[in-house]
Structure formats: C-alpha cells, structure tokens
Amino acid sequence: MKYDLELQVAIEAVKKASTLCSKVQSSLVSEETITKKDKSPVTVADFGAQTIICHELSKAFPDDKVVAEENSQELQTEHGALVTQKIYEYVSDILPEINQEEIHSIIDKGNHDGGPLGRFWTLDPIDGTKGFLRGEQYAVALALIEEGKVVLGILGCPNLTKDLNNTDSTKGLIFSAITGEGASVQYIEEDSQDRIEVSDIEHPSDAPFCESVESAHSSHGDSEKIADILGVKAEPIRIDSQCKYAVIARGDASIYLRLPTRKDYQEKIWDHAAGSIIVKEAGGKVTDTAGKNLDFSQGRTLSNNTGVVGTNGELHDLVVSAVIEVLNSKRR
Ligand code: AMP
Ligand code: MG
C-alpha cells in the first residue's frame, strides 16, 4: 500500500514521543517549564518529543523536510542549557544513539516553511500544552503533506481512553489515517488496529459538540449561540488539543467548533493537519467557519481560512449555516 513505510515509521516515532511525554507529565516540575514570548508554556516534553520525531523521520526519509512548532532559539540561553540537559536525559533513555550536542540541530530540522510544492511533514510535538500542564488531554500530532494536501496523519493521545467517560480504563491511544484508506485506532502499547467511523447522527439536537477548554482559543460565547440555533441539548465536551478531532472521528461527538477569538489569528498547519485527515477518513467533514476546505499549501499557517468546523459529514451544511449566521450577526 502507498505510504505503508511512512505510516510505520510515523507511528513508531509518535509512540516513542508519547512515551517521553507521559514520563515528563508524571514528573512535572516548574524548572521544566520555560516561558515563550507568547506566554504559552513550553516544556522539556515539547522539545523532547520534537527531537525524537525529527530524528526518526530523518533516519528513514533523509530528504524529507519538517514544519514543526518548536525551534531551538529559546534553548540558547543559560537556563536553556539546563533545559537541554533535561531533554537529553529523557531522549537518551528512549534513543541512546543521540548525543546532547545534536539536540538543537535535530530540533531545528523542523524549520521548513511549508508551501504548495513537494512533500513535507508537519509536527506539533505537544498539541495542547495547557492540557498537558494541567495533567489532562494533549496530543502528539504528525502529518505528511504532499503538494499542499494532507495524505497521512497520526495523533498520539497518551491520556485518552477508549471509552471517553471511563477514565479509569487503559489510557493511551494512537489514531491514524492514510488518504483514501480510512482511519484507525490502536493502543500505544499494541500494534493491532481497529477501524473507526464518525457517528451517524442526523439531527443536531442529538449531537454532542466539542470545543477547546481554553476560551482564548475558541469563543465559548459564540458556540453557545450556535448550539442554541441548532437545538443541541448536550453540554459541550471541552477537551484540549487535537484529541477533539479524535473524539469526532470515533463518534463520541459529532461537531467540533473552533471559533475565532481574534481577527488577526491564523491557525497553524500543525494544529489541524493530522486531526483533519483522521476525521475525513473516518467519514466526516472538516472546513473553516465559511465552509471552505482547509488550505495547507500556504506555508506554516492556514492563512486562507478562518476558524474550523468539523462534523460527522451529515450535519456539516447545517452547522456551517448556523456558524455563518452567528459570526455575521457580530459584524453588523
Ligand atoms: P486547544 O487545545 O484547542 O486549546 O488548542 C491549542 C492550540 O491553540 C495551540 O497549539 C495553539 O497553537 C493554538 N492557539 C493559540 N492561540 C490561539 C488563538 N488565539 N486562537 C486559536 N488557536 C490558538
Ligand atoms: Mg498545538
């Protein structure tokens, strides 16, 4: 099958990165968190996961470029040297072949600009850093883009359980999809995969929707108005990271709303590439808030799109109409 090798390498890399993240999450101390200019927390796990995945990808596919969220700039300080030491300790436990001196250059393999041509990977080593720091949901998100189109996506979700409501059951899932081949889930610890499909809900009143925990990342006020228009009865399911896409892809929820909180914000490709192909291959639909396809050919951001709407497909047109109604009413 096309992309078989890519899938195998990407799943193994995401497994290793997820293991590192779980270890760091269970031993979080404040020293491991440094502050980026935009104040979002960056952790040893973030850089460690990027090191592992960039290294594994360049071993298997030396010519492939990577568009990743992090770069080594903030590690070039005195405090950064301490953080680099910590990253090395965690990484070398999993990949003993890596030297401490290589860590920065491996992280900077993720500096590609993306764009419409050729093939590159996009990586969010820890999507949902806020959830990670709260001890809640986060995802390791990796996707392959060819000529501006997402062709493969993997989401490592170390804290997600098969049954969303039974948080005592076995944690740690990997979702994956290849274009035209459907979507699957497996436990991080295992290799056997199960197919997943979106819900078959036809009426929005029966459709649970999900959104960000952080109201700065998606307007909770607007989603409430949209839910009212659609007659959605259930309370919103709030989850950090692209775990939201996973929850739609396996049918726990049928609507994902990401509604702009600022005019100037451009969504990042690594925040949506893996999740969107997994939802589409599970039978769902993903567009922006105007109903336009997400355009991954514009560089590091989705500069042709505003916000995101994901659904089980069946409900898509109805949901997009309600979204347009609410967003237009604010412009008047
Ligand atoms: P979530 O887990 O849904 O809250 O999304 C986390 C992602 O939101 C992070 O990876 C950031 O890249 C992204 N983000 C940061 N600021 C904003 C914003 N103003 N609007 C939308 N997304 C944002
Ligand atoms: Mg992210």
Side-chain angles (χ1 to χ4, degrees):
M1 219 167 28
K2 209 178 169 191
Y3 305 117
D4 257 0
L5 179 63
E6 284 83 351
L7 184 72
Q8 198 190 322
V9 168
I11 287 182
E12 280 312 307
V14 169
K15 276 188 183 182
K16 287 179 180 148
S18 299
T19 304
L20 180 145
C21 295
S22 299
K23 279 191 190 164
V24 180
Q25 198 184 37
S26 55
S27 66
L28 254 186
V29 290
S30 60
E31 189 197 53
E32 287 167 4
T33 306
I34 53 176
T35 308
K36 263 202 301 199
K37 274 202 209 83
D38 67 2
K39 300 273 188 271
S40 69
V42 178
T43 63
V44 168
D46 222 356
F47 288 113
Q50 182 158 327
T51 305
I52 288 179
I53 292 175
C54 285
H55 181 75
E56 295 292 83
L57 289 178
S58 76
K59 253 193 328 194
F61 309 108
D63 296 332
D64 282 1
K65 308 270 191 270
V66 186
V67 178
E69 179 166 23
E70 307 301 343
N71 66 64
S72 73
Q73 203 186 331
E74 53 252 70
L75 298 174
Q76 321 275 354
T77 61
E78 212 175 304
H79 179 65
L82 285 176
V83 180
T84 306
Q85 170 69 34
K86 276 272 181 204
I87 296 167
Y88 173 67
E89 283 166 21
Y90 279 105
V91 167
S92 60
D93 243 12
I94 293 169
L95 290 178
E97 75 233 41
I98 291 183
N99 300 315
Q100 190 169 332
E101 299 68 47
E102 296 176 283
I103 300 261
H104 293 183
S105 64
I106 296 172
I107 289 170
D108 288 334
K109 285 180 196 286
N111 280 351
H112 185 57
D113 287 332
L117 302 177
R119 135 173 174 148
F120 59 86
W121 298 82
T122 187
L123 168 67
D124 194 344
I126 293 192
D127 181 33
T129 30
K130 298 232 163 85
F132 179 79
L133 290 169
R134 279 192 248 102
E136 296 171 6
Q137 296 299 335
Y138 64 96
V140 177
L142 178 63
L144 179 62
I145 295 179
E146 282 185 356
E147 315 303 333
K149 299 263 187 290
V150 185
V151 295
L152 180 157
I154 318 279
L155 282 180
C157 305
N159 283 343
L160 205 61
T161 49
K162 275 223 170 144
D163 175 354
L164 190 63
N165 298 316
N166 180 2
T167 47
D168 291 334
S169 55
T170 310
K171 279 184 189 168
L173 299 172
I174 292 189
F175 295 83
S176 58
I178 293 178
T179 182
E181 305 285 348
S184 305
V185 67
Q186 66 187 83
Y187 282 113
I188 289 178
E189 310 287 339
E190 291 173 18
D191 290 325
S192 67
Q193 295 189 319
D194 293 322
R195 300 295 282 215
I196 50 169
E197 275 177 25
V198 293
S199 79
D200 53 10
I201 286 177
E202 290 173 15
H203 299 288
S205 56
D206 304 325
F209 77 93
C210 60
E211 64 183 356
S212 299
V213 174
E214 299 292 327
S215 55
H217 295 168
S218 182
S219 165
H220 291 174
D222 289 345
S223 66
E224 204 181 319
K225 288 181 202 150
I226 292 160
D228 268 357
I229 292 174
L230 293 170
V232 173
K233 291 194 247 46
E235 285 296 304
I237 301 173
R238 292 193 175 137
I239 313 178
D240 296 285
S241 82
Q242 286 172 71
C243 286
K244 287 183 277 297
Y245 282 110
V247 160
I248 299 291
R250 69 180 186 186
D252 289 335
S254 307
I255 303 170
Y256 165 26
L257 297 175
R258 191 173 195 85
L259 306 166
T261 56
R262 297 189 345 221
K263 274 214 173 65
D264 57 338
Y265 186 76
Q266 292 187 351
E267 298 287 344
K268 309 295 185 285
I269 61 169
W270 52 79
D271 279 334
H272 301 287
S276 62
I277 189 172
I278 289 168
V279 165
K280 283 187 197 167
E281 287 298 326
K285 191 162 176 184
V286 180
T287 65
D288 70 3
T289 50
K292 280 198 304 183
N293 286 331
L294 301 186
D295 179 358
F296 289 93
S297 74
Q298 298 298 303
R300 291 172 71 88
T301 67
L302 297 171
S303 55
N304 278 343
N305 300 107
T306 306
V308 176
V309 177
T311 68
N312 67 348
E314 187 76 34
L315 295 171
H316 205 81
D317 293 347
L318 217 53
V319 174
V320 168
S321 308
V323 168
I324 291 172
E325 187 181 331
V326 168
L327 298 188
N328 278 350
S329 73
K330 289 176 37 164
R331 286 193 197 107
R332 276 187 216 121

